[in-house]
Amino acid sequence: MTTKIFKIDPERIAPQAIAEAAEILRAGGLVAFPTETVYGLGGDATDAQAAQKIYAAKGRPSDNPLIIHVASPEEAERYAVTNETYRRLADAFMPGPLTVILPKRESIPSAVTGGLDSVAVRCPSHPIARALIREAGVAIAAPSANLSGSPSPSCGDHVIRDLSGRIDGIIDGGDCEIGLESTIVKLDGAHATLLRPGAITADALACVCESVAVAPAVTEGLAQNERPLSPGMKYKHYAPKAPLVLLEGDADEVLSFLYRAQNAEKCTILCYSEETEYLRGERLIDVGAREDLVTQAHTLFAALRKADELDGDIIYAHLPPTDGLGLALYNRLIRAAAHTVLRVKSSLKG
Ligand code: TXA
Ligand code: MG
């Protein structure tokens, strides 16, 4: 299949291109589009066949449900049963990088929700995503627009590399602002369970919800036979070709570990900007300044794709903090590393 590429400047959206892409969606086709988090692979959320095409194009198991994207928070009511807490979350964070799990209505076929009676709803803030959903006139079901097993795409090139020839269209709108997928919460009255951390942090959610619990699978592996709260938790997540090891410890000690590692083995390093002057440039990927978690989120998925290209025998990265936006970075990295953490200790201290 030939994939039509629409190059659209988010600041000067060409209505003709949006109209054409929306027409593909209404006709049951698939179009990848940018959001403020990562690119989505979109199809008509009310069309079971479109959902099947999405699973096939991604190579994704069809019991892992899709997020539906709406043009305004109120539109969720057409597809899901909303409640007071949803409305308060919507007032505070939508449009934006938040997904809320709600009881589904019949307008959403069970092919979209992997057979669940709940549906994940999100109202993105990206101007291209909003224009496309509005023009399509229907909610758009969209998982991240990567092949199953690749990191989520944070720029148009990633999508073109993964899905060109497999879907009808790709809207290339440049870099995604945030670079990590949306925060996902499940509501139980005014109580929220955080299923996937993202740019809307647990602290921010706690300002609106009565209480916020972080699902254990966000930081820990699932125990054997444990039933996940979100089907996505049980699937093999992205894993780089070479083993990824996360380093924890005092900043100077980790830096000297990395310095020695570069002499001893063929390693790829995801390092902080401050460290680049102490390390050799070969297989070195700058992920941003140590305290700049926003930049680290923005660069993480591109850095992981790059690490695969550099083809080292082992990949090292810093273990992120687990507070604020750090929890989202921690969650993606700890899964990519299959929970491999090395606590670096000074040889002097023993
Ligand atoms: O930022 C994002 O959320 C991006 C953009 C495109 O919006 N989308 C995204 O979709 O990351 P995806 O499919 O890659 O991840 C959705 C996650 C999956 O882990 C899935 O299991 C979970 O949401 N999910 C979807 N519906 C659910 C439901 N009804 N109950 C529990 N988990 C659900
Ligand atoms: Mg995904």
Side-chain angles (χ1 to χ4, degrees):
M1 145 185 322
T2 40
T3 301
K4 173 143 193 184
I5 312 284
F6 303 89
K7 198 135 182 97
I8 303 185
D9 177 351
E11 277 164 26
R12 290 184 40 198
I13 298 178
Q16 188 46 44
I18 293 290
E20 209 179 311
E23 187 48 44
I24 295 175
L25 292 170
R26 275 197 303 268
L30 304 187
V31 177
F33 61 97
T35 82
E36 70 280 17
T37 57
V38 298
Y39 275 72
L41 168 54
D44 179 343
T46 62
D47 177 351
Q49 272 174 352
Q52 265 137 23
K53 285 189 201 166
I54 290 175
Y55 290 117
K58 263 185 79 95
R60 168 173 176 151
S62 60
D63 67 342
N64 191 3
L66 309 175
I67 295 175
I68 71 162
H69 297 68
V70 291
S72 70
E74 297 74 39
E75 241 177 64
E77 201 55 50
R78 282 169 64 187
Y79 309 102
V81 182
T82 64
N83 56 33
E84 177 57 24
T85 311
Y86 169 81
R87 282 185 284 279
R88 293 178 55 186
L89 285 169
D91 283 346
F93 305 116
M94 291 183 197
L98 178 68
T99 297
V100 183
I101 314 274
L102 296 167
K104 89 170 189 70
R105 291 193 191 275
E106 290 213 333
S107 51
I108 298 297
S110 70
V112 168
T113 63
L116 298 178
D117 50 17
S118 60
V119 61
V121 182
R122 155 158 148 72
C123 176
S125 63
H126 194 293
I128 293 177
R130 302 197 76 196
L132 181 67
I133 304 163
R134 198 163 286 136
E135 184 72 21
V138 70
I140 299 182
S144 51
N146 52 288
L147 281 176
S148 207
S150 293
S152 293
S154 50
C155 67
D157 279 347
H158 296 164
V159 184
I160 291 168
R161 245 176 285 160
D162 276 14
L163 295 179
S164 198
R166 301 176 71 90
I167 59 177
D168 303 284
I170 296 174
I171 301 179
D172 182 349
D175 266 16
C176 298
E177 187 189 335
I178 295 170
L180 295 180
E181 308 89 340
S182 62
T183 302
I184 303 182
V185 289
K186 198 175 174 111
L187 299 180
D188 178 10
H191 174 77
T193 305
L194 180 66
L195 302 185
R196 183 174 73 185
I200 307 294
T201 62
D203 288 344
L205 293 169
C207 295
V208 175
C209 302
E210 224 160 72
S211 61
V212 179
V214 178
V218 166
T219 52
E220 311 299 327
L222 279 179
Q224 244 180 8
N225 303 325
E226 182 181 343
R227 238 187 90 203
L229 289 170
S230 169
M233 289 170 169
K234 76 172 183 255
Y235 286 108
K236 194 171 170 316
H237 32 83
Y238 163 73
K241 286 184 215 133
L244 169 63
V245 175
L246 303 181
L247 303 174
E248 185 184 22
D250 173 83
D252 289 341
E253 286 164 7
V254 171
L255 180 56
S256 66
F257 172 91
L258 292 171
Y259 180 84
R260 279 178 275 128
Q262 280 199 316
N263 293 322
E265 54 192 343
K266 193 177 145 199
C267 58
T268 301
I269 299 175
L270 273 58
C271 73
Y272 295 136
S273 308
E274 299 88 325
E275 296 171 320
T276 53
E277 61 176 303
Y278 302 102
L279 297 167
R280 272 211 312 276
E282 201 187 351
R283 287 190 219 90
L284 195 62
I285 304 171
D286 181 350
V287 297
R290 180 183 298 275
E291 303 297 332
D292 185 358
L293 299 181
V294 169
T295 298
Q296 290 170 38
H298 184 78
T299 46
L300 179 66
F301 289 144
L304 289 171
R305 282 177 184 253
K306 175 94 184 161
D308 265 344
E309 281 165 27
L310 292 179
D311 208 29
D313 294 333
I314 187 163
I315 306 167
Y316 292 115
H318 293 277
L319 184 73
T322 52
D323 56 341
L325 181 58
L327 186 63
L329 284 160
Y330 182 97
N331 168 260
R332 305 316 187 272
L333 275 167
I334 201 85
R335 288 161 60 108
H339 296 268
T340 312
V341 177
L342 183 66
R343 293 192 171 75
V344 178
K345 285 212 192 85
S346 154
S347 46
L348 292 174
K349 287 182 195 161

